[in-house]
Each structure stands twice: as structure tokens, then as C-alpha cells.
Amino acid sequence: MPELWSYEQEALDAGFSPVCGCDEAGAGPLAGPVYAAAVVLPQDVDLPGLNDSKQLSAKQRDRLFDLIRERAVEWSVASVDAKEIDETDILSARMKAMQLAINGLNPPPGFALIDGNRDKGKSAAITTPHRCIVKGDSHSASIAAASILAKVSRDRFMVEIASQYPEYAFERHKGYGTPLHFERLREYGPSPIHRRTFLKNL
């Protein structure tokens, strides 16, 4: 996995330690929270098949989810709910979730590798020393690991919440804007976990 370790090594060589990767999941759905995870990996970690969560099957993500939590030096998952997304904006909610995940690490990281090209919104920002990396989940082992923890955690939450709102079939689409989801929204209207600001065109 050395090709996925160059950004971590650069930060370590610059004197930062520990170095975490951070990513979020669920920016686009019409319902549910946005999740984020932060992960510190040991440099000799063995995580076969580690990749951007979007490139993996659900079964592969589940396997890696357990391995990452077992083999990481430290990991943390955080979320911001639909109500707060509506009260602020999705970019701010993403930044808040990521910083909350970083804050959940102990000891606190000296440096964070952040997926994407944004580090602040109107009401929240990444405050830990950091570097933004476009497509970081494909270029950094710790960001890839964070992407898997965030994605699986959010998917599992949406499956659990589906039992409270069975009419929306959240277990099938996880809140994303699929034809089935739009059909159920037209039939039942929004639930308490829908993002009202995402439904203006309904």
C-alpha cells in the first residue's frame, strides 16, 4: 500500500504526528444525516483491498469496516442531522461533521488529510492543521479508510431508521434521490428526517 501513503509520509516528515485521514458520506441524499470519519493508521497496516468506498461493493466495505476499526491506531465517527443541515447548509454540515470526527480522536491529531477541495462553510470549518486532497479517498490510505467508516456507518443508520419510517424504504436507497424514493415522497410527503431544503423541487 506504499502508493497510498505518500501524503501521510509528507506530513510525518514535516514533523506532524499523528496524521489522520478524514472523509464524509451522505452529502447528496434527500434524507438522513451527513456522516464523517477520521482515522489514524499504523504505517505497516495490512488492509487488503483498501480503496475509495465508492469503488467497493457493500460486502467489501463491511469487511474493511471491521478490519479498519480493529487495526487503526485510532478512529472516530461523527454526524450532523437533517435538521441542522436545513438550519445551516450542507457544506457547513460536512465541515462540522469532519471536525467533530477529528475531535473524537485521542490523542488529537497533529495534522489532518481532508478529502476534497473545501475546508470551510458559512458556519463551520476544519480547524485542525490540514491539507485538502482532491479525490483523496483514491490517493491516501487513511482517507480511504475514513471514507469506508463514514459510508458504512451512515448506511447502517439508514437501515436502522427504516424501521421507524417503513413507508419510505430507506433500507433500499439510504435516502438518495432514487425513483422509488421520489415515488414514496410524493405519496407520503416528507418525514422528520428529510432535508426540507433538498425538497424544494418536489
Side-chain angles (χ1 to χ4, degrees), residues 12-202:
L12 291 166
D13 290 346
F16 294 106
S17 182
V19 177
C20 76
C22 190
D23 199 3
E24 49 83 11
L30 309 177
V34 60
Y35 266 71
V39 180
V40 178
L41 293 176
Q43 286 183 272
D44 59 350
V45 70
D46 181 29
L47 294 169
L50 183 66
N51 200 344
D52 166 14
S53 65
K54 295 184 287 295
Q55 306 299 320
L56 301 170
S57 68
K59 189 173 181 180
Q60 290 171 320
R61 286 195 297 266
D62 283 339
R63 179 183 62 80
L64 280 161
F65 181 83
D66 293 334
L67 273 181
I68 290 161
R69 294 192 305 164
E70 177 188 310
R71 296 179 182 177
V73 174
E74 187 71 25
W75 61 271
S76 170
V77 174
S79 64
V80 172
D81 65 20
K83 183 173 182 288
E84 188 168 346
I85 292 169
D86 284 340
E87 289 170 352
T88 57
D89 60 88
I90 186 60
L91 178 59
S92 295
R94 288 168 53 206
M95 297 304 117
K96 180 174 180 179
M98 286 199 281
Q99 188 61 52
L100 284 171
I102 293 167
N103 292 347
L105 297 172
N106 185 25
F111 199 80
L113 301 172
I114 306 294
D115 183 60
N117 62 357
R118 308 293 289 274
D119 61 0
K120 60 179 176 291
K122 288 179 185 174
S123 62
I126 306 298
T127 55
T128 300
H130 62 278
R131 176 178 183 176
C132 293
I133 303 169
V134 175
K135 295 186 178 176
D137 41 13
S138 299
H139 300 301
S140 155
S142 54
I143 293 177
S147 78
I148 290 165
L149 293 197
K151 170 70 172 164
V152 174
S153 297
R154 186 183 187 280
D155 283 356
R156 290 181 179 180
F157 172 85
M158 294 305 293
V159 170
E160 286 175 21
I161 206 77
S163 63
Q164 290 184 42
Y165 307 103
E167 64 272 27
Y168 297 98
F170 287 133
E171 74 283 359
R172 292 174 61 184
H173 52 69
K174 313 300 190 295
Y176 284 87
T178 64
L180 172 63
H181 191 183
F182 279 115
E183 178 187 308
R184 299 298 171 87
L185 269 168
R186 284 190 289 269
E187 187 172 355
Y188 297 105
S191 73
I193 68 158
H194 275 94
R195 304 173 184 178
R196 303 302 176 104
T197 51
F198 282 47
L199 304 177
K200 290 176 179 175
N201 295 327
L202 275 183

